[in-house]
Amino acid sequence: MRALTVIGNWKMNGSLSINQAWMQSVGEGMQCGMPAGRRFGVCVPFPYLHQCSQLLASSQLLLGAQDVSAHESGAYTGEVSAVMLQEMGVRFAIVGHSERRMQYGEANETIALKAGAALDHEITPIICVGETADERNSGRAIEAVRRQVASQVSTLQDRLVDCLIAYEPIWAIGTGKVASAQMAQDMHRAIRLQLAEFDHDVAAHIGIIYGGSVRADNATELFAMPDIDGGLVGGASLDAQEFLAICRA
Ligand code: PGA
């Protein structure tokens, strides 16, 4: 049985005072009881990791980062290594988010190296894949996602089982245009079948979560799908009450 995982992705948002208030509200909300057998996390900007790790010390909410370097240490200005994140108590790291693929030219090969670096330091990589609107509209969505997944399989092999894959159709990110639950399920199924071509165990056990305009009012239907193992929540995770409602969905 795969655990349902709900992760917030704050992107480049937050401030010391906003974070404090958010952590307090979510901490209190979680103490009132959360469905059993689920994992919850939040990926915050690097400068806030230390503050948030302290605020989360006695919480069931796990800390995440939004990226990680493929390198261990050295002359890589601006990069943050997995060992540094581990020291901050980070348990998840997003890699290959479409915003990084598109705005910073991140390639599949780099993303797989980043995921490997995270795994080396007991951090669960959340590997993002997803098609553009053009690819979806021209019937090439599965082909586009397959290419991204294949590249991760070839580098990470059976270490993939310790990763999460986030299927995030690019046209659904931050647009309010959520994929229908059936459309998302079909892609999650396709990813799982592709992984089964490589290894049945990996396919059966890996968590595949959905991202792209997840909100409290669509989460229940999405999470009820057999191959959807939770969500990666952007905009809606900035609101503590909305995030709690998604975690309860
Ligand atoms: P969104 O973002 O929920 O705001 O669409 C999801 C993501 O980019 O991870």
Side-chain angles (χ1 to χ4, degrees):
M1 190 58 191
R2 299 182 297 268
L4 205 69
T5 307
V6 180
I7 308 272
N9 172 15
W10 282 359
K11 311 194 178 187
M12 199 170 71
N13 292 292
S15 72
L16 291 174
S17 60
I18 290 173
N19 308 346
Q20 168 111 34
W22 189 98
M23 293 286 166
Q24 189 168 346
S25 301
V26 171
E28 284 166 10
M30 291 203 155
Q31 269 169 10
C32 300
M34 277 289 148
R38 298 190 179 188
R39 291 187 298 175
F40 307 107
V42 61
C43 297
V44 309
F46 289 135
Y48 298 137
L49 285 172
H50 182 62
Q51 177 204 21
C52 293
S53 77
Q54 296 196 317
L55 292 169
L56 289 177
S58 56
S59 162
Q60 71 176 109
L61 190 64
L62 302 169
L63 187 62
Q66 299 174 13
D67 191 18
V68 59
S69 176
H71 306 285
E72 279 285 312
S73 66
Y76 302 101
T77 302
E79 290 282 274
V80 176
S81 73
V83 72
M84 294 172 186
L85 296 180
Q86 186 182 35
E87 243 187 338
M88 290 290 124
V90 165
R91 306 280 298 278
F92 296 99
I94 297 172
V95 295
H97 192 282
S98 58
E99 287 153 14
R100 295 208 62 85
R101 289 179 187 260
M102 293 187 308
Q103 296 166 25
Y104 303 96
E106 268 184 25
N108 285 318
E109 296 69 27
T110 312
I111 292 160
L113 292 175
K114 289 182 170 196
L119 287 169
D120 288 343
H121 295 282
E122 285 151 36
I123 294 169
T124 302
I126 304 167
I127 303 169
C128 300
V129 298
E131 80 283 2
T132 62
D134 266 6
E135 288 164 336
R136 164 72 51 185
N137 296 336
S138 57
R140 289 176 293 127
I142 290 190
E143 177 195 324
V145 170
R146 269 188 82 91
R147 236 185 352 259
Q148 295 168 22
V149 171
S151 166
Q152 303 306 310
V153 172
S154 73
T155 306
L156 294 164
Q157 303 275 311
D158 49 11
R159 297 183 90 196
L160 254 186
V161 76
D162 296 319
C163 304
L164 285 168
I165 291 180
Y167 167 56
E168 297 203 306
I170 294 167
W171 47 270
I173 294 178
T175 58
K177 281 192 225 157
V178 66
S180 72
Q182 190 58 51
M183 191 190 278
Q185 160 62 23
D186 290 347
M187 185 62 87
H188 283 233
R189 186 82 204 136
I191 295 171
R192 217 177 285 286
L193 289 174
Q194 180 183 1
L195 294 174
E197 292 164 19
F198 160 72
D199 184 317
H200 282 279
D201 257 11
V202 170
H205 292 111
I206 191 169
I208 308 178
I209 63 179
Y210 170 82
S213 297
V214 175
R215 295 182 307 266
D217 63 5
N218 57 31
T220 306
E221 198 190 353
L222 285 163
F223 299 171
M225 289 291 165
D227 288 293
I228 300 184
D229 306 315
L232 183 58
V233 187
S237 75
L238 297 174
D239 182 304
Q241 296 312 320
E242 179 86 5
F243 183 66
L244 281 166
I246 295 169
C247 291
R248 288 196 197 98

